[in-house]
Amino acid sequence: DADVTQTPRNRITKTGKRIMLECSQTKGHDRMYWYRQDPGLGLQLIYYSFDVKDINKGEISDGYSVSRQAQAKFSLSLESAIPNQTALYFCATSDLPGTGLDTQYFGPGTRLTVL
Amino acid sequence: EDKVVQSPLSLVVHEGDTVTLNCSYEVTNFRSLLWYKQEKKAPTFLFMLTSSGIEKKSGRLSSILDKKELFSILNITATQTGDSAVYLCAGNTGNQFYFGTGTSLTVIP
């Protein structure tokens, strides 16, 4: 089974709709991240969380909100979707610095299209 | 402002060629430099570099970091069509990962 899972994998919605993307992990990591990826722009950080009570905005948080329901679950919401939020969204996890390999583990991605 | 810049943006080579991908970074509280390979799915980890001048190798791939000049290179020798992908580098502060836009590599048979 995959260590980091995302649902849904694909979603098409209309402008103005509220959308929730979900991420679950079995790696036991405290740190979780949401990124969006657009062609030519690389991975841009939306929000990150270091534990259930610690949530931080990334570089492009406007129009998004998150919820860390448990150590293993981190959800991303688009309160009122707009077409320029059409992108590929990745959830990632990482361990505490210095406890192991300082890398991120990515989910399979959610392709979101806003019409 | 923290940033990571990769070059070239794209590259097309023939099988058997050797390629060098570049990554320069300006990251406050820099901790490590990471390389990922992304095919049509999630990025997968290749290397983590923390010390200058120490080459990391995995098969035909190798990477090295220069912390004085703030850059890293990823070398791929004897390229194969399966190496076709986007290669991402990221600067890690321990709290955040700053990604470059990636280099798109296409290997032609």
Side-chain angles (χ1 to χ4, degrees):
Chain A
D1 288 339
D3 294 319
V4 185
T5 58
Q6 292 182 233
T7 56
R9 295 292 307 279
N10 288 283
R11 182 71 184 267
I12 300 174
T13 190
K14 293 183 178 180
T15 297
K17 294 291 188 182
R18 185 177 188 275
I19 297 297
M20 178 180 286
L21 310 182
E22 299 186 342
C23 176
S24 295
Q25 53 114 347
T26 59
K27 298 194 72 68
H29 290 164
D30 287 323
R31 299 183 168 203
M32 298 186 74
Y33 308 77
W34 275 105
Y35 293 92
R36 67 176 277 174
Q37 187 175 38
D38 299 272
L41 292 179
L43 288 163
Q44 297 176 280
L45 183 63
I46 306 172
Y47 271 94
Y48 61 104
S49 170
F50 288 167
D51 66 36
V52 175
K53 297 180 181 179
D54 182 6
I55 293 177
N56 306 278
K57 293 182 178 180
E59 54 190 309
I60 56 161
S61 60
D62 287 348
Y64 302 94
S65 63
V66 291
S67 173
R68 185 81 184 267
Q69 300 95 324
Q71 186 205 37
K73 295 184 182 296
F74 192 34
S75 300
L76 176 72
S77 293
L78 286 66
E79 299 300 327
S80 179
I82 57 177
N84 77 0
Q85 291 178 312
T86 294
L88 184 57
Y89 289 84
F90 286 107
C91 173
T93 74
S94 69
D95 209 342
L96 292 173
T99 59
L101 192 59
D102 283 353
T103 186
Q104 290 184 312
Y105 299 87
F106 287 85
T110 295
R111 186 166 296 282
L112 176 67
T113 302
V114 183
L115 301 176
Chain B
E1 180 184 345
D2 297 305
K3 64 179 179 180
V4 174
V5 179
Q6 293 185 244
S7 64
L9 292 181
S10 64
L11 198 52
V12 180
V13 300
H14 291 279
E15 268 192 322
D17 288 349
T18 294
V19 298
T20 298
L21 309 183
N22 303 296
C23 175
S24 65
Y25 63 92
E26 294 178 27
V27 175
T28 307
N29 300 318
F30 175 83
R31 181 180 173 85
S32 60
L33 192 290
L34 299 107
W35 284 96
Y36 294 86
K37 177 182 182 182
Q38 185 178 25
E39 296 168 272
K40 295 188 182 297
K41 49 187 177 180
T44 54
F45 173 76
L46 294 174
F47 296 111
M48 183 184 78
L49 304 156
T50 57
S51 300
S52 279
I54 298 176
E55 185 181 54
K56 293 280 185 86
K57 290 198 72 169
S58 177
R60 296 176 293 102
L61 278 66
S62 64
S63 185
I64 198 163
L65 176 68
D66 185 328
K67 292 171 74 172
K68 181 179 179 183
E69 301 297 330
L70 306 183
F71 78 89
S72 175
I73 60 172
L74 175 68
N75 280 318
I76 308 175
T77 60
T79 51
Q80 302 171 357
T81 55
D83 295 326
S84 296
V86 174
Y87 291 83
L88 299 167
C89 71
N92 175 26
T93 67
N95 288 334
Q96 289 195 40
F97 295 76
Y98 294 92
F99 284 84
T101 56
T103 293
S104 176
L105 174 64
T106 302
V107 181
I108 300 171

